[in-house]
Amino acid sequence: MSWGCGLKYLFSLPPALQQAGVCALRAPEDFSRLDVVQRLAKDGYRFLQNQNYRLPDRSAQAQGESVVRVCLKERGQDVLVLQRVPSDPASPQTAGVKDDDSDKRYVVVSGTPHKILEHLLSDLRLDEHQGATEGKEAEMLLDDFLLTYLVFMSTSELCQALLGHYCTKRCRGKEEGKEALYRKRKVLHLVSQWSTLYKDFLREEENVKLFMKTLYRYVLEDVYEFPMLEKDLKEFQKLLRRRHTVDDYSPHQKNKALYQQLSLKENCVPLRGSPVETKDVMCRVYVSCDSYLSMRVKPAVVAQELLHIVAQRMDRSEDDMMLVVQTYSGEKRVLQPHDSIYSESLVAPGRLIACRRDLSEILPPLTECPELGQKPVRLLGINTWDVAVALTNFDWNLFNSIHEQELIFYTFSRQASSGHTVALEFLLQRCNEVQQWVMSEVLLCPSLGKRVQLLKKFIKIAAHCKAQRNLNSSFAIIMGLNTAAVSRLNQTWEKVPGKFKKLFSELELLTDPSMNHKAYRDAFKKMKPPKIPFMPLLLKDITFIHEGNKTFHDNLVNFEKLHMIADTVRLIRHCQTDQAGNELSPCDSAEVRSSVHYLHIIDNQQTLFELSHRLEPRV
């Protein structure tokens, strides 16, 4: 039962004809396309898993029904494994058919990258089929592929594969015109989805630019043989205008020889009216050996601007200070007022330190700083709702700039991000710094009465952040109040009114890790978007899937695992859905912005505990 081409299928007939036994299909030309698998399944055939192929027996069907899988071999090697799943009973292919196997379709379990792509293109529905459930499922599987393809193939390999699927003469030989047209349109649809999904992630890749130019030339050539491609050509031109500059004339207005030439201009020009925004960076300026100011600034910031912020936040005279950079080798260099801080790669030259003119630190170690006792606690004079709004708007700007692909890079890379996870890392850093800021504010307050007021303030801010659907900052504040250095302040907590303790206990329930953080997940699920999840937990979910499942199984890509990861990553897209009427009006107070945008943080655990024990010595 082996064929010269290396393909092999076993199938059995429907239950009513099973007396005929198991047969083998021997004609290789009948299996030139993978969609024959779908066609036979809908006609009532039942494929049997190849006996030489072993996969875990996971029941995905109703009780009593076994999992049915089909394995495709090429040259004796497994290249694709599909699993039967229920299809849309209302789809045109199955409507009115009563056979038990007619309402089944096949989805990818594992396979080689090229065979997975081939199957997804075959399964894709366009135009009138897009609204059907089956079409939506195919779109979601395509989305899974586009979100995770960098795990198992390079962008260059994907570009070559897509060109191969598009080009009839170059890849497929003779085909019926309608089938060739439909396949070309599917490739263009995939490219459109890919570009929309990745946005500026692909903007600077030279191989993508070359691929877009080549594909555009092929579409221009084909539009005369397939006039129905003109609509797709116009959509493709719109896509290219977002990335390049392209000729906007109709193909019928120029002769064919001229239009076969490349219409894309060689120099990429940004779309007018939509300049590429320069992303901010998170900057740390140390004001003592154990504390720093965290601030979000423009990459073009100069030393004088940073000193101005530090002077305002630390109640110091700007004229008495200078900014010093300490390199990783320990050398110190004084920055001049107009010196840029960041290089083109947005990397700071070393640790930034705000010093007095004599190069001494503007603050001694915080455990030896008597002047802190006379500093006013600014947060006590600010409205808690305004602080929560400022925190939420700050977090939203970071969260809304995160691409879904950043979570994939962060999970699979395990090395320097090379700029692919900048927004995600900033939000994670912000979460940690808000937690440390809460601890620092409480422990730097020597007055018992003011510390009690601070605890009440932070509890209310955490509740407001939850009400504003910002669970990232809400969690960070709760965890900051729950750290050992703060929670051990019994005299302070005893004076907190009962209603605040009750509110704090209710907020603490959200951080309860029992039953896989059920309390948090239930509460977050009920919230409408836009909303900000607790990012460390989302990354934990993705890491759990990644480390608990192999990426490759017998040299085949484990697409089931990638589907689970993509499904989790898509939560970002859902949370970022911005709905009208949900905007939070920011407070224009400079004091509010300063208190939230420029956080004074103690990053030394020993200092935090020393301050805690100084406030309330151990009995």
Side-chain angles (χ1 to χ4, degrees):
M1 293 191 293
S2 61
W3 302 334
C5 68
L7 298 178
K8 181 178 180 181
Y9 279 100
L10 293 176
F11 72 96
S12 69
L13 299 175
L17 302 177
Q18 281 190 359
Q19 291 181 354
V22 177
C23 305
L25 297 180
R26 299 178 180 277
E29 61 271 12
D30 291 340
F31 287 88
S32 60
R33 291 180 57 80
L34 283 175
D35 55 9
V36 174
V37 176
Q38 302 280 4
R39 198 176 304 137
L40 289 175
K42 290 166 183 174
D43 287 342
Y45 293 98
R46 178 180 297 149
F47 287 85
L48 300 179
Q49 182 180 315
N50 187 299
Q51 293 181 355
N52 296 325
Y53 196 86
R54 293 289 181 266
L55 278 174
D57 184 18
R58 304 173 187 171
S59 178
Q61 312 295 327
Q63 189 174 2
E65 184 179 354
S66 61
V67 173
V68 178
R69 288 180 174 176
V70 58
C71 175
L72 172 66
K73 282 181 177 289
E74 283 186 358
R75 298 177 179 85
Q77 297 293 324
D78 300 323
V79 294
L80 188 67
V81 179
L82 305 174
Q83 180 169 302
R84 187 178 69 182
V85 296
S87 183
D88 179 17
S91 65
Q93 293 88 344
T94 60
V97 183
K98 297 183 178 180
D99 191 274
D100 290 340
D101 291 328
S102 63
D103 61 343
K104 303 294 189 294
R105 56 188 293 268
Y106 283 79
V107 296
V108 177
V109 174
S110 60
T112 63
H114 294 283
K115 286 301 177 183
I116 292 174
L117 176 61
E118 185 177 349
H119 176 79
L120 293 176
L121 283 172
S122 174
D123 208 28
L124 193 61
R125 300 289 182 267
L126 298 175
D127 297 336
E128 68 274 5
H129 300 300
Q130 280 188 340
T133 303
E134 188 172 333
K136 291 179 180 178
E137 291 172 350
E139 286 281 346
M140 181 168 291
L141 291 174
L142 177 62
D143 196 57
D144 295 342
F145 177 86
L146 293 175
L147 278 173
T148 61
Y149 80 89
L150 286 170
V151 174
F152 52 84
M153 69 190 305
S154 67
T155 297
S156 178
E157 290 172 331
L158 177 60
C159 291
Q160 291 300 317
L162 289 173
L163 287 177
H165 283 290
Y166 180 86
C167 303
T168 306
K169 295 179 182 179
R170 296 170 179 77
C171 259
R172 297 289 186 182
K174 294 182 179 180
E175 289 186 277
E176 294 182 3
K178 185 176 180 181
E179 188 177 358
L181 171 64
Y182 200 46
R183 178 173 42 75
K184 292 174 186 293
R185 293 186 61 215
K186 286 182 178 181
V187 173
L188 292 175
H189 177 74
L190 186 149
V191 172
S192 176
Q193 295 290 95
W194 181 31
S195 183
T196 301
L197 186 64
Y198 275 68
K199 301 174 185 174
D200 55 345
F201 253 65
L202 301 175
R203 190 180 297 276
E204 301 302 325
E205 293 199 28
E206 292 298 326
N207 52 357
V208 176
K209 294 178 185 177
L210 179 61
F211 163 73
M212 290 292 190
K213 293 178 181 181
T214 306
L215 182 60
Y216 183 61
R217 186 175 72 241
Y218 289 161
V219 179
L220 291 175
E221 294 173 354
D222 288 339
V223 77
Y224 298 97
E225 183 179 355
F226 305 102
M228 291 185 66
L229 273 178
E230 187 166 355
K231 180 181 177 182
D232 298 274
L233 174 63
K234 291 180 180 179
E235 292 298 321
F236 194 46
Q237 286 175 332
K238 291 179 183 178
L239 169 66
L240 292 175
R241 285 191 200 101
R242 295 195 292 266
R243 302 174 53 84
H244 309 276
T245 302
V246 64
D247 230 62
D248 196 23
Y249 293 99
S250 168
H252 299 298
Q253 294 175 355
K254 295 191 176 184
N255 61 64
K256 184 174 181 179
L258 178 61
Y259 231 79
Q260 285 178 344
Q261 298 177 6
L262 190 62
S263 293
L264 288 173
K265 295 181 180 178
E266 293 300 323
N267 296 323
C268 299
V269 180
L271 183 66
R272 283 176 296 179
S274 300
V276 178
E277 293 184 3
T278 304
K279 293 183 177 180
D280 294 346
V281 294
M282 301 291 285
C283 178
R284 293 180 177 181
V285 178
Y286 278 81
V287 294
S288 71
C289 62
D290 47 12
S291 71
Y292 64 88
L293 280 183
S294 172
M295 55 191 82
R296 188 181 181 186
V297 296
K298 298 293 182 184
V301 67
V302 296
Q304 188 173 5
E305 294 173 325
L306 284 184
L307 277 179
H308 179 70
I309 295 172
V310 173
Q312 282 192 327
R313 188 68 176 83
M314 302 306 299
D315 295 323
R316 291 290 191 275
S317 172
E318 186 178 343
D319 297 333
D320 295 335
M321 293 192 303
M322 62 174 56
L323 198 62
V324 174
V325 59
Q326 182 176 355
T327 63
Y328 299 107
S329 61
E331 299 178 359
K332 290 185 178 181
R333 177 169 61 89
V334 177
L335 295 177
Q336 298 305 311
H338 297 289
D339 283 352
S340 296
I341 303 298
Y342 291 96
S343 62
E344 291 183 1
S345 60
L346 301 183
V347 177
R351 173 180 282 201
L352 297 171
I353 306 172
C355 296
R356 292 191 177 96
R357 290 288 177 182
D358 59 0
L359 295 185
S360 63
E361 294 178 340
I362 62 172
L363 283 180
L366 296 182
T367 53
E368 305 171 7
C369 190
E371 60 185 289
L372 289 177
Q374 286 75 45
K375 280 189 63 177
V377 184
R378 296 182 178 181
L379 195 62
L380 294 180
I382 304 176
N383 182 276
T384 53
W385 178 264
D386 290 340
V387 174
V389 168
L391 285 169
T392 298
N393 286 333
F394 191 103
D395 287 358
W396 176 253
N397 288 333
L398 292 176
F399 176 69
N400 201 36
S401 63
I402 294 177
H403 288 279
E404 295 159 310
Q405 293 75 29
E406 293 192 44
L407 281 76
I408 305 293
F409 278 108
Y410 191 89
T411 302
F412 283 86
S413 177
R414 300 297 186 190
Q415 56 188 4
S417 64
S418 302
H420 288 303
T421 61
V422 173
L424 176 60
E425 290 176 0
F426 280 169
L427 187 58
L428 293 174
Q429 176 183 330
R430 176 67 175 181
C431 182
N432 288 331
E433 289 184 342
V434 169
Q435 178 180 345
Q436 292 174 313
W437 168 62
V438 171
M439 300 165 62
S440 303
E441 287 288 328
V442 173
L443 297 176
L444 288 175
C445 182
S447 167
L448 175 60
K450 290 182 179 180
R451 278 203 310 277
V452 173
Q453 294 299 316
L454 266 180
L455 291 183
K456 291 165 59 180
K457 281 274 185 182
F458 279 124
I459 292 171
K460 289 180 69 175
I461 293 170
H464 291 327
C465 285
K466 177 177 177 270
Q468 296 165 9
R469 302 189 293 279
N470 176 11
L471 293 189
N472 202 57
S473 280
S474 183
F475 264 52
I477 294 171
I478 296 167
M479 291 189 299
L481 295 177
N482 265 330
T483 52
V486 175
S487 62
R488 65 168 296 278
L489 300 176
N490 295 325
Q491 297 175 26
T492 307
W493 282 101
E494 285 175 359
K495 292 187 176 295
V496 174
K499 67 176 184 178
F500 284 93
K501 290 181 180 178
K502 181 181 178 182
L503 177 59
F504 183 63
S505 298
E506 293 172 356
L507 293 171
E508 276 186 304
L509 290 177
L510 284 179
T511 64
D512 182 8
S514 63
M515 299 179 66
N516 194 19
H517 297 270
K518 184 178 185 301
Y520 162 79
R521 296 181 194 278
D522 289 346
F524 191 70
K525 188 176 181 180
K526 294 176 183 177
M527 294 180 179
K528 296 179 180 179
K531 53 187 178 180
I532 307 175
F534 180 52
M535 290 304 297
L537 184 55
L538 181 59
L539 288 171
K540 176 187 173 184
D541 290 343
I542 300 173
T543 303
F544 182 81
I545 297 171
H546 173 47
E547 295 183 350
N549 300 273
K550 293 182 178 179
T551 305
F552 297 92
H553 184 89
D554 293 342
N555 296 321
L556 299 181
V557 178
N558 183 0
F559 200 68
E560 283 184 310
K561 167 185 174 175
L562 299 182
H563 168 68
M564 288 189 291
I565 288 179
D567 209 35
T568 307
V569 167
R570 263 189 293 270
L571 178 66
I572 292 287
R573 189 182 310 171
H574 170 68
C575 293
Q576 289 176 342
T577 305
D578 205 353
Q579 299 178 354
N582 284 303
E583 299 84 2
L584 291 172
S585 299
C587 179
D588 292 331
S589 168
E591 192 174 20
V592 173
R593 289 197 303 272
S594 174
S595 65
V596 170
H597 288 214
Y598 313 131
L599 305 182
H600 184 200
I601 293 167
I602 303 173
D603 64 345
N604 185 299
Q605 291 297 318
Q606 183 176 350
T607 298
L608 289 169
F609 271 101
E610 287 186 19
L611 290 172
S612 177
H613 284 281
R614 179 175 297 180
L615 294 174
E616 294 187 19
R618 183 178 298 169
V619 178

